[in-house]
Amino acid sequence: MDIDTRARKLFEAGVAAADPAAGVVGAMGWAAAEGPEPGGRWQVVALGKAALAMSAAALKALPEGTQALVVTNPENAETAVPRDGMTLIAGDHPVPGAGSAAAGRAILECLRALSPQDRVLALISGGGSALAVAPAPGLTLADKAQVSRLLLGCGADITQMNLIRQQLSELKGGGWLLASKAPVTGLILSDVPGDDLRVIASGPTVAPIGTRSRAAQLCRELGIWDALPEAVRAHLAQGGEASAVPQGRNRLIGANGISVAAMVAQGAQKGPFALEGDVAALAPRIVALISEMAPGQTLVFGGETTVTLRGDGLGGRNQELALRVACAAEAAGVTGDWRFLSGGTDGRDGPTDAAGGLVGPESCATARDEGCDPQAALARNDSYHALKAAGALLVTGATGTNVADLAVLVRG
């Protein structure tokens, strides 16, 4: 097996280990143990990039006629097979739009219509923060979208981003628990490092991470306070403690660490560090490993990085990490054959049709031969076009799951 194929096969094994349907099936006995009271019914509400597979598995296990409200990304919704009892809404990602607002309204209306005798089965997966939004009173969809753009470009990690998002929303940080008179049981697929349930999809079925005061302080620390919409600054400046939320039942059914373990089971070794921090700092650490690796050795990594936006190019954190590794390896004069793959398990990296990148020793030279300067592309955050010129984009299509990012480093 050549090293390109090995890298791809390992990534595919990691994605396969995040099968959301299998996770739901395995947890349905626990979830259904506290069912509706007499006269009540189940209501499924599924949110995230794995919502279709998760809801399909749940509906098979629940009584015939159970209703499901399903919110997912457009790529998955376009190929969805209609099911009886399912209402499907396509939200927007990574920046919320009109579809996200429609999804947020639908979720709140659905939850508010339930009675104490009913039971909610909440199926949560990554991407939910943007796919469904319900701005807090006094805020607009445009405000939420602008905050998302600022957070995506300032180098904030996912916990910081979602702490702030929770304070601007009626859905996030336990919002589903506050909206529903019916008890809520959550099955959750993690796309965040550490698997903190408060962070995944901004924690709709758990208590919030922080307060408005902490969110305001964090915006100042991240350098985005002055760029926030005026209404958002006013909202956060009100301060105050977080509202108490009812208790929900929640269970984790899949995570990035499970996918990394599946890759290791295929003969790879777990890398010495996680995918975390800004890609500009992480890339040299990955390059330093290449010269230390034995021929044929393979390292795998999991996590989620950040990118600081300084230009108006096209790309995502996995594509920029891959391109930075290629450029850093070339600059360091790394010899021998190697491959580095970095990809999002959902099949989409940033606002592009690629999951990430797969680079090697010739990637930068090939891009230049095609008229694209990789270093100039990095300066404007245009990793997508540089990798495309190099023939190094990783394109998988929508996978129907999401457990953050996976990477593979292979020494030839």
Side-chain angles (χ1 to χ4, degrees):
M1 184 185 299
D2 63 63
I3 59 175
D4 287 273
T5 301
R6 175 151 177 75
R8 288 178 179 274
K9 291 292 186 184
L10 284 168
F11 178 74
E12 291 166 1
V15 172
D19 181 353
V24 170
V25 169
M28 279 306 297
W30 172 84
E34 296 187 15
E37 295 180 1
R41 64 179 179 86
W42 281 105
Q43 172 67 54
V44 174
V45 184
L47 170 66
K49 294 183 177 180
L52 279 166
M54 293 175 78
S55 60
L59 288 173
K60 288 181 180 178
L62 293 173
E64 187 175 351
T66 297
Q67 300 294 300
L69 174 59
V70 180
V71 178
T72 193
N73 49 312
E75 297 90 340
N76 288 337
E78 288 170 2
T79 59
V81 178
R83 298 178 64 93
D84 291 339
M86 178 188 291
T87 299
L88 177 62
I89 301 176
D92 304 281
H93 191 276
V95 176
S100 306
R105 289 192 298 270
I107 290 173
L108 286 176
E109 290 171 2
C110 174
L111 294 174
R112 288 168 177 166
L114 298 172
S115 72
Q117 292 75 36
D118 299 324
R119 294 293 183 269
V120 178
L121 180 61
L123 306 174
I124 309 298
S125 56
S129 296
L131 291 170
V133 297
L139 304 182
T140 66
L141 174 61
D143 292 333
K144 295 274 287 186
Q146 178 62 9
V147 172
S148 287
R149 293 187 190 97
L150 291 169
L151 290 172
L152 288 166
C154 73
D157 64 36
I158 190 64
T159 299
Q160 294 170 325
M161 292 174 67
N162 288 356
L163 186 156
I164 294 167
R165 285 164 159 168
Q166 286 176 347
Q167 298 304 317
L168 309 176
S169 172
E170 291 193 283
L171 288 174
K172 300 169 173 59
W176 292 21
L177 300 173
L178 291 168
S180 174
K181 295 184 182 69
V184 177
T185 294
L187 300 181
I188 302 174
L189 187 71
S190 175
D191 68 330
V192 302
D195 305 326
D196 188 337
L197 301 187
R198 300 174 302 168
V199 181
I200 303 162
S202 295
T205 63
V206 293
I209 307 167
T211 64
R212 290 190 198 183
S213 296
R214 176 57 187 142
Q217 178 186 358
L218 187 52
C219 288
R220 293 186 177 96
E221 292 171 1
L222 292 169
I224 63 172
W225 177 258
D226 292 338
L228 293 173
E230 183 177 352
V232 172
R233 293 200 303 271
H235 178 80
L236 294 179
Q238 293 176 18
E241 294 301 314
S243 300
V245 299
Q247 186 69 37
R249 297 173 69 229
N250 293 290
R251 181 166 172 172
L252 188 70
I253 63 167
N256 186 265
I258 295 172
S259 289
V260 172
M263 298 161 78
V264 170
Q266 295 293 315
Q269 295 174 257
K270 186 177 180 179
F273 47 78
L275 299 177
E276 60 184 8
D278 194 281
V279 293
L282 184 61
R285 297 179 67 194
I286 293 170
V287 170
L289 295 173
I290 300 175
S291 298
E292 301 172 359
M293 294 170 65
Q297 186 178 5
T298 303
L299 299 177
V300 294
F301 309 79
E304 184 170 289
T305 58
T306 62
V307 173
T308 301
L309 294 180
R310 297 183 175 86
D312 59 357
L314 184 65
R317 59 181 181 259
N318 289 286
Q319 292 165 61
E320 182 149 334
L321 177 60
L323 183 59
R324 286 187 177 277
V325 166
C327 289
E330 183 182 64
V334 173
T335 59
D337 202 10
W338 57 271
R339 294 293 184 276
F340 177 71
L341 179 155
S342 184
T345 53
D346 61 350
R348 185 183 185 194
D349 185 37
T352 76
D353 60 355
L358 173 56
V359 297
E362 304 301 323
S363 296
C364 290
T366 301
R368 286 191 293 270
D369 289 344
E370 294 298 319
C372 181
D373 180 352
Q375 291 289 356
L378 284 175
R380 60 180 185 275
N381 299 112
D382 197 26
S383 54
Y384 179 89
H385 290 108
L387 293 174
K388 185 176 182 180
L393 285 173
L394 175 68
V395 179
T396 65
T399 64
T401 191
N402 186 21
V403 291
D405 303 330
L406 300 172
V408 182
L409 182 62
V410 186
R411 183 67 165 170

